[in-house]
Every structure is written in structure tokens, then in C-alpha cells.
Amino acid sequence: MRNPIRLYMSMSLDGCIAGPDDRPGQELGRDGGRLFNWLDDRNSDGPSGQVYREALATGALISGRRTFELARRWQGDHHDGVPILVLTHQVDEGDVPPGHARFVTDVDDCAHQARMAAGNRPVMVHGASTAQALLRAGHLDEMEIHLIPVLLGEGRRLFDHLGGQHIELDLVRRLDDRDVTHLRYRVHRSEGSA
């Protein structure tokens, strides 16, 4: 596969990627930090370390505007100076994103720019709405889901607003580690689709 556009997302078993009331000052929502305990092993030689190193080897990042703002715009550098393409509905006049970030308002253009910027490396995706937009447009190739054995009960769900579209996924990798199962899915596309 050419450089895949790949969602990286920690998620509870009930589909939450953040706890309730996620906002500035409480970016992960109430109890949402639980979804990121696996990062304690990011420097290990185990599966979580492998997945973390793979994420940081991506050549570009597509982020949703909300995620970008909650992350304090990553001060313009998510990792290693890779381009950050922020998919947004509108750009306010005079709002210039910092560092390596730029705003893009068209999903097709965003995917194209990200692939070009990444060269032969994968493109990382952050944000539920952005992942859904890319998926609906046929640009999301893979999903790396860090499945956490917890039910948050409420919060921001990854696929709440996907619509009625039926989408098949192929499990291409499963890595088990302490307190997480890393699942990589490839979006199944029939012949001739995007």
C-alpha cells in the first residue's frame, strides 16, 4: 500500500476517546487520562514501545481543528517538524497557525497534501470528526486503535456521527501489552473504490 493515512487513537471498550466534559484545562475529559496509561511503556522494547515509535515515524499529521486547539496547537510541532494539516470548516482572517501547521478546508485536498508531504511514510490522523470525514471520503486507509480495558460510560465517542454507511475492516495486526491491546485495521475497499 502507498503511504497509508492511518488513524492513531486510544479508545475505551465502549468507544470513548475522551471522558465527558473535554475542554481546555481538562483536555481528556473526566477520567480520560485512563486511556493513555499505556504510554507509560512507550520507551520499552515491548509492543507499546513499538507502536509509539511507529507513530513518531509518520511523515505528516492530519488533525481536526478541535483536537488541534485542545492540544494547544502543539506549539506548531507535533513531532520531528512534520507538516500538520488541520482540517477545519473555516479559517478566521489573521489566524495563522504556528510552526509546521496549516489550515485546510477541503478533505480531499487535505488528504492529497498530507500524502505528498509524508513522502513514502505513513500519515498520522488525530481527531474523531476528522477520522470520520476521511473515512466517508474514502481516504482513511488504516486505524491503529489502542483498546483500553475500561468502560468510561460516557464521553466523546470515536464513531458517533459516522452515519449509516456500512464499512468493513480487516484486522491486520494485534499486539497485546500491559493494560492495552493495539489493533490495526485496514479499511476494506471493493475493487474500483477510492
Side-chain angles (χ1 to χ4, degrees):
M1 171 182 289
R2 67 194 189 284
N3 56 338
I5 294 180
R6 182 182 300 143
L7 172 68
Y8 286 86
M9 193 66 69
S10 290
M11 184 176 79
S12 67
L13 191 58
D14 56 347
C16 295
I17 59 169
D21 195 26
D22 57 329
R23 57 182 163 74
Q26 188 171 273
E27 290 80 8
L28 302 175
R30 287 192 316 275
D31 300 323
R34 170 68 178 88
L35 301 176
F36 296 91
N37 289 353
W38 71 271
L39 286 173
D40 291 345
D41 295 322
R42 69 182 172 270
N43 295 319
S44 76
D45 291 329
S48 291
Q50 174 188 339
V51 169
Y52 184 75
R53 287 186 295 278
E54 289 171 0
L56 293 185
T58 55
L61 169 71
I62 298 174
S63 173
R65 180 66 177 261
R66 188 170 194 284
T67 300
F68 181 64
E69 299 299 346
L70 283 173
R72 296 183 193 99
R73 298 182 169 205
W74 294 294
Q75 290 77 46
D77 187 7
H78 185 275
H79 67 280
D80 297 331
V82 302
I84 302 169
L85 294 105
V86 181
L87 187 59
T88 183
H89 294 288
Q90 69 178 32
V91 179
D92 296 329
E93 187 176 334
D95 186 3
V96 178
H100 304 281
R102 63 181 174 261
F103 295 128
V104 183
T105 57
D106 179 79
V107 68
D108 296 321
D109 185 39
C110 187
H112 175 74
Q113 285 188 46
R115 281 194 208 278
M116 295 301 290
N120 62 354
R121 298 188 292 169
V123 174
M124 176 188 287
V125 175
H126 281 326
S129 294
T130 297
Q132 292 175 44
L134 289 163
L135 193 56
R136 282 191 300 269
H139 294 300
L140 190 65
D141 301 306
E142 295 179 344
M143 296 182 219
E144 184 83 34
I145 303 295
H146 318 298
L147 189 62
I148 310 304
V150 65
L151 300 170
L152 289 184
E154 60 180 337
R156 186 167 302 279
R157 296 187 195 282
L158 181 53
F159 297 114
D160 250 359
H161 307 288
L162 193 54
Q165 186 178 5
H166 182 96
I167 298 168
E168 292 286 336
L169 306 173
D170 297 323
L171 180 64
V172 295
R173 182 175 80 176
R174 175 189 171 139
L175 300 173
D176 293 307
D177 206 356
R178 182 176 63 93
D179 207 28
V180 63
T181 301
H182 301 284
L183 301 166
R184 181 174 294 173
Y185 292 96
R186 185 167 296 132
V187 177
H188 179 76
R189 294 196 175 92
S190 59
E191 287 296 315
S193 65

